[in-house]
């Protein structure tokens, strides 16, 4: 029997609730992959501290996001689910890989430029070097595939550059990861600025949908979603608002774009936006209820993340020993 390919990905706990973009761009695909791949998923709390965060809030948000990804359908028995800071090899390998990462490579990272402009009072070195920690997250588990959004392509390319550089010096030590981007719903845009990615850091709460939103909130946000001039319900470069809503509708219903266009032929934007809201609410309502139940059961959550960390560290420790030997560390 062929060995399953290994998948690793992580999600930040900042904000405490995942967006619809997180669900369709990442988590739904994680769920779809869990039977066919050896999957490892982490709530990456170490990445979250690149911005100043209240300690108690970070703890609660980390557990909330863990509960949400389980509620989305990730089975702890089929996947390794853990909290990043519980596996110390992430920080250990990040330092090693930092010594194989060029300053110029990090300075070209688009997200560093974006986040620096948004947080000019806190341009810390962690914000600059976190793509190296992200590379360590991936490399630490001999990852084959990384299912992330299009916006993370640059960071995955950096990880691949680091692997190539390290292996060029030390032999075939690190596994080369590949990017996996889903065909539908890979990038969900803002409901108010459809040329911008949906983000819960948006100052306008109507721009994003959270998994924790009630059905009424979901419907209200979609009814107020920005559309475009004209009344024809079809995607196109001249209709970014409708295109985004069509992407969401197809991701939520499993319908093709052609099927959706035919369904709304002759109908107006009002009917279309209501249908999108209803389709999204139908998916998110049971997830929201299950996540709320899990969040109340602290003992169950603790058992899941402790077991996940132990399983993750077993892999990470072996990979780190292999790397340490190659770079010349004295064995313990």
């Amino acid at each position: 029997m062929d060995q399953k390919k290994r998948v690793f990905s992580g999600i930040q706990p900042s904000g405490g609730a995942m967006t619809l973009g997180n669900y369709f761009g990442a988590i739904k695909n994680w769920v779809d992959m869990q039977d066919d791949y050896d999957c490892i998923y982490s709530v990456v709390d170490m990445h979250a501290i690149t911005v100043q965060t209240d300690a108690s809030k970070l703890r609660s948000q980390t557990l909330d996001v863990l509960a949400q990804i389980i509620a989305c359908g990730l089975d702890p028995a089929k996947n390794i689910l853990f909290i990043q800071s519980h596996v110390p090899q992430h920080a250990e390998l990040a330092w090693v890989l930092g010594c194989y990462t060029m300053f110029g490579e990090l300075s070209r990272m688009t997200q560093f430029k974006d986040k620096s402009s948004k947080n000019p009072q806190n341009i810390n070195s962690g914000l600059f070097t976190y793509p190296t920690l992200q590379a360590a997250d991936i490399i630490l588990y001999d990852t084959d595939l990384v299912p992330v959004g299009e916006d993370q392509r640059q960071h995955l390319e950096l990880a691949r550059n680091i692997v190539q550089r390290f292996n060029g010096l030390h032999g075939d030590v690190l596994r080369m990861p590949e990017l996996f981007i889903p065909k539908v719903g890979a990038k969900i845009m803002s409901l108010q600025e459809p040329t911008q990615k949906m983000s819960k850091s948006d100052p306008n709460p109507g721009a994003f949908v959270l998994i924790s939103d009630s059905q009424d909130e979901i419907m209200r946000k979609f009814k107020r979603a920005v559309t475009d001039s004209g009344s024809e319900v079809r995607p196109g470069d001249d209709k970014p608002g409708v295109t985004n809503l069509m992407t969401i509708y197809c991701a939520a219903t499993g319908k093709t774009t052609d099927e959706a266009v035919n369904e709304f032929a002759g109908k107006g934007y009002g009917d279309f936006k209501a249908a999108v809201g209803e389709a999204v609410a139908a998916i998110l309502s049971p997830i929201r209820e299950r996540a709320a139940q899990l969040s109340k059961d602290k003992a169950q959550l603790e058992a899941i993340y402790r077991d996940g960390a132990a399983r993750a560290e077993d892999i990470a420790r072996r990979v780190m020993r292999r790397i340490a030997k190659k770079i010349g560390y004295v064995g313990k």
Side-chain angles (χ1 to χ4, degrees), residues 6 57 66 102 128 154 170 210 218 232 236 243 249 252 280 306 325:
R6 179 167 291 157
K57 185 179 291 186
L66 179 63
M102 300 300 107
F128 185 69
Q154 189 183 34
H170 302 293
L210 298 175
I218 292 169
E232 189 179 4
T243 299
Y249 185 69
V280 169
R306 284 185 180 276
K325 182 178 180 180

Side-chain angles (χ1 to χ4, degrees), residues 97-108 128 132 158 162 165:
L97 297 185
C99 298
Y100 293 82
T101 308
M102 300 300 107
F103 184 89
E105 291 175 313
L106 292 174
S107 66
R108 289 191 292 273
F128 185 69
T132 306
L158 175 65
I162 294 169
R165 187 174 296 128

Side-chain angles (χ1 to χ4, degrees), residues 8-302:
F8 176 89
S9 195
I11 184 167
Q12 286 203 42
S14 53
M18 295 187 300
T19 68
L20 187 65
N22 296 139
Y23 177 72
F24 283 130
I27 310 303
K28 184 176 184 295
N29 299 291
W30 294 5
V31 174
D32 292 342
M33 298 175 80
Q34 65 185 344
D35 290 322
D36 299 320
Y37 297 89
D38 177 15
C39 299
I40 304 174
Y41 299 122
S42 179
V43 182
V44 288
D45 55 339
M46 293 168 66
H47 287 289
I49 65 170
T50 56
V51 296
Q52 294 175 350
T53 307
D54 177 78
S56 61
K57 185 179 291 186
L58 178 59
R59 278 190 287 271
S60 65
Q61 290 175 347
T62 298
L63 294 177
D64 285 346
V65 169
L66 179 63
Q68 287 168 26
I69 64 174
I70 296 169
C72 287
L74 283 176
D75 185 347
K78 294 180 179 179
N79 308 274
I80 295 178
L81 307 177
F82 74 102
I83 297 169
Q84 182 189 26
S85 62
H86 291 181
V87 180
Q89 288 80 7
H90 285 260
E92 184 180 1
L93 182 55
W95 169 255
V96 172
L97 297 185
C99 298
Y100 293 82
T101 308
M102 300 300 107
F103 184 89
E105 291 175 313
L106 292 174
S107 66
R108 289 191 292 273
M109 293 292 107
T110 302
Q111 288 203 7
F112 171 70
K113 296 174 183 177
D114 292 343
K115 291 185 178 182
S116 297
S117 65
K118 292 176 182 177
N119 298 279
Q121 304 306 314
N122 186 30
I123 306 176
N124 57 75
S125 62
L127 190 64
F128 185 69
T129 61
Y130 91 94
T132 306
L133 174 59
Q134 193 173 43
D137 299 337
I138 296 165
I139 293 167
L140 194 55
Y141 298 99
D142 282 336
T143 300
D144 295 298
L145 299 172
V146 186
V148 294
E150 179 66 39
D151 61 308
Q152 292 296 322
R153 180 185 290 274
Q154 189 183 34
H155 289 164
L156 195 278
E157 288 301 326
L158 175 65
R160 288 172 56 83
N161 290 344
I162 294 169
V163 168
Q164 186 175 35
R165 187 174 296 128
F166 190 97
N167 286 350
L169 292 169
H170 302 293
D172 189 16
V173 182
L174 307 181
R175 186 166 300 176
M176 182 66 75
E178 301 287 342
L179 181 67
F180 173 81
I181 297 179
K183 294 180 181 178
V184 178
K187 194 170 185 180
I188 304 299
M189 312 303 282
S190 163
L191 298 184
Q192 295 299 316
E193 295 286 344
T195 58
Q196 303 293 320
K197 182 185 174 185
M198 181 179 286
S199 171
K200 57 193 169 189
S201 63
D202 194 305
N204 183 352
F208 54 87
V209 174
L210 298 175
I211 281 183
S212 58
D213 283 346
S214 69
Q215 183 161 338
D216 288 344
E217 288 174 317
I218 292 169
M219 293 303 298
R220 183 168 61 253
K221 289 180 179 181
F222 277 103
K223 287 179 180 178
R224 295 176 179 174
V226 168
T227 47
D228 310 283
S229 59
S231 59
E232 189 179 4
V233 180
R234 60 163 178 81
D237 292 341
D238 59 330
K239 287 180 173 283
V242 173
T243 299
N244 184 42
L245 293 175
M246 187 70 74
T247 298
I248 294 170
Y249 185 69
C250 291
T253 62
K255 295 180 179 179
T256 66
T257 300
D258 288 343
E259 288 172 338
V261 169
N262 290 335
E263 181 180 352
F264 295 101
K267 297 181 180 180
Y269 288 157
D271 290 339
F272 174 53
K273 291 196 287 185
V276 179
E278 288 168 1
V280 169
I283 288 177
L284 295 190
S285 292
I287 293 174
R288 182 180 65 250
E289 293 169 7
R290 173 64 175 147
Q293 292 173 348
L294 283 166
S295 292
K296 292 176 182 177
D297 192 345
K298 302 297 184 185
Q300 182 182 6
L301 272 184
E302 182 176 351

